Amino acid sequence: MSESHESERRTDGLDVAALQRRLAAFAAARDWQQYHTPKNLAAALSVEASELVEIFQWLTPEQSVRVMEDEGKAARVEDEVADVLAYLLQFCEVLGVDALAALSAKIDRNEVRFPVNGAR
């Protein structure tokens, strides 16, 4: 199975709400909800984003484009992406933010703010 088909298979049937429920159940089973305040989740999100940046810190632009060709680096990138997304989804859950609606609204604002003919 090709890598792209494998990726499609792993995400088939998943959605943001289902992932948020799974994360919440994971935290509840460990009694971690008490630590999942907006402040703590924002800090954790920042730390995980920094760990993603760290992978690319000393790479040239050309090396950064090819990072997923290295199996070890690719695994680290995927782990850090997962950590960033997990904390972002938990943050949104705690504050009642619909992440997809917020992203869609931001794209709408950016399309007005940065028209195509003014971007070049």
Side-chain angles (χ1 to χ4, degrees), residues 58-74:
W58 302 114
L59 300 181
T60 65
E62 295 78 19
Q63 291 169 324
S64 72
V65 171
R66 296 188 314 272
V67 75
M68 299 305 281
E69 295 171 8
D70 178 305
E71 194 173 304
K73 286 184 182 171

Side-chain angles (χ1 to χ4, degrees), residues 7-104:
S7 176
E8 289 171 13
R9 183 176 49 84
R10 289 186 306 210
T11 59
D12 189 34
L14 295 179
D15 60 40
V16 172
L19 291 170
Q20 285 175 308
R21 286 189 302 272
R22 193 168 168 198
L23 287 164
F26 181 89
R30 290 152 182 84
D31 197 27
W32 289 352
Q33 314 93 311
Q34 61 187 316
Y35 306 111
H36 288 186
T37 64
K39 178 194 82 64
N40 288 350
L41 291 168
L45 176 58
S46 176
V47 168
E48 295 302 337
S50 295
E51 290 179 6
L52 181 60
V53 170
E54 183 181 34
I55 297 167
F56 295 89
Q57 185 174 10
W58 302 114
L59 300 181
T60 65
E62 295 78 19
Q63 291 169 324
S64 72
V65 171
R66 296 188 314 272
V67 75
M68 299 305 281
E69 295 171 8
D70 178 305
E71 194 173 304
K73 286 184 182 171
R76 286 183 59 208
V77 167
E78 288 179 359
D79 279 350
E80 297 309 333
V81 166
D83 288 342
V84 167
L85 184 56
Y87 280 120
L88 180 60
L89 291 178
Q90 290 173 91
F91 179 83
C92 289
E93 179 72 16
V94 165
L95 291 179
V97 173
D98 180 329
L100 297 182
L103 176 56
S104 181

